[in-house]
Amino acid sequence: MYRKGLATLPNVEALSPLVTRILAQNPGPKTLQGTNTYLVGRHPNVVLIDTGEQDCKKYSDLLQNVVTSSNLSVKSIIITHWHPDHLGGCHSVRSLLEENVNSENISLRLNSADRRNEEIPVYKFPHEYDEKIAPGQKIFPLHDNQILEVSADCTLKVVHTPGHTEDSISLHLLEENSLFSGDTILGGSSGDFTNYIQYRQSLTRLQELGADTVYPGHGQVEAGTVVNKYISHRAGRENQVLAALRAGEVQVSVAGLTDKVYENENLHPGLLQSARTIVGLILEKLEVDGSARRTEDGLWYATG
């Protein structure tokens, strides 16, 4: 695997009576064992959370096999955020599922008001990149705290958790008190973000939910206490960045500071840019706090 200590995950695994995970067949430094997609609901009515990457036949074949062999009715698709390994497969997966629907002449709507010629609706928190990643796809907007009735005894609550991306959502499965965290929390690895302040706030919100189980966008299933570990890790990394800034040269670049912070972590080369982005975003937060300053040349120094 691309990171040490990652669990080996089967391509398809029933995780609970309401949840089946299907790996999207795209392992890599950022995707870990691959993007986790989930079929969620009480048989036969389910929803699909995330769709993997564009035109991945290996994933499509897996998904079709699970749906047909288990005689499932996929009512809708829910996307956790706009990244191509979650939204990119929307067109091909939707087409595949609609072929199954139309061949059986079954209507599989999450909401009867959205019925349009047996199309399977896609739901997502809106983002400006949606059309770029999934051109021509009709996407129904989700909103924070929205309740989605999936099937008997299966209810999802939308939780807007920006930080990884602006549109990132988590989904609280109320009957299990479990959480689909998208890429806000990963299994067996730390995550990245585009807005550090929002990300910390989202982690706090997830902590307050007190979920028993976390089904992440990548990696293994985690106990709900992983949220506490994430918060501690982020606080520790922030302290590490500030300590390195104070201990180093008077002024330092983001790249130079990243090398110091990660020097003992055997960082995979494919993750170096992500690490630099994380350090840069933490520095911006420290600047807001008054602990760091940036020069006109883009170098950083500690204020005390």
Side-chain angles (χ1 to χ4, degrees), residues 64-80:
Q64 184 173 38
N65 181 64
V66 173
V67 169
T68 56
S69 64
S70 300
N71 194 29
L72 296 176
S73 297
V74 180
K75 299 170 65 177
S76 67
I77 297 168
I78 303 172
I79 304 295
T80 59

Side-chain angles (χ1 to χ4, degrees), residues 82-284:
W82 69 264
H83 281 169
D85 61 309
H86 295 262
L87 176 59
C90 179
H91 174 70
S92 55
V93 167
R94 187 181 194 179
S95 297
L96 171 70
L97 294 175
E98 287 176 353
E99 286 178 7
N100 291 340
V101 170
N102 291 326
S103 66
E104 299 171 8
N105 194 27
I106 299 174
S107 176
L108 306 174
R109 284 299 183 176
L110 183 67
N111 186 331
S112 60
D114 297 330
R115 186 185 303 272
R116 283 172 178 76
N117 298 323
E118 308 303 336
E119 293 179 354
I120 293 179
V122 178
Y123 294 87
K124 185 184 173 300
F125 204 92
H127 193 278
E128 62 179 326
Y129 290 163
D130 291 349
E131 178 62 24
K132 176 181 178 182
I133 304 301
Q137 295 297 296
K138 173 64 176 177
I139 298 177
F140 295 95
L142 294 173
H143 59 78
D144 191 30
N145 294 320
Q146 184 172 351
I147 299 296
L148 306 175
E149 301 289 348
V150 177
S151 61
D153 300 321
C154 184
T155 310
L156 294 171
K157 183 177 182 179
V158 177
V159 184
H160 185 209
T161 46
H164 177 69
T165 59
E166 293 178 3
D167 62 323
S168 287
I169 62 166
S170 299
L171 294 161
H172 191 190
L173 178 50
L174 300 183
E175 286 79 4
E176 280 192 0
N177 192 30
S178 58
L179 187 72
F180 298 92
S181 61
D183 284 5
T184 298
I185 294 175
L186 308 183
S189 177
S190 61
D192 59 8
F193 40 83
T194 57
N195 186 307
Y196 181 55
I197 294 174
Q198 287 184 341
Y199 186 70
R200 290 291 301 270
Q201 292 170 341
S202 291
L203 289 178
T204 298
R205 186 176 183 191
L206 294 184
Q207 183 183 48
E208 292 170 350
L209 286 178
D212 296 323
T213 305
V214 174
Y215 300 118
H218 304 272
Q220 66 204 32
V221 176
E222 295 279 3
T225 52
V226 71
V227 183
N228 302 331
K229 296 177 182 178
Y230 255 63
I231 291 173
S232 296
H233 175 72
R234 291 272 60 95
R237 183 70 79 193
E238 184 177 325
N239 291 335
Q240 193 177 6
V241 169
L242 183 56
L245 189 65
R246 288 172 171 168
E249 303 171 9
V250 176
Q251 297 177 354
V252 63
S253 67
V254 170
L257 192 61
T258 301
D259 290 342
K260 293 180 181 180
V261 170
Y262 287 86
E263 62 183 348
N264 297 319
E265 299 193 20
N266 192 26
L267 191 67
H268 188 283
L271 300 173
L272 178 58
Q273 186 54 53
S274 290
R276 289 175 177 172
T277 299
I278 287 172
V279 169
L281 290 168
I282 290 175
L283 286 168
E284 291 177 3

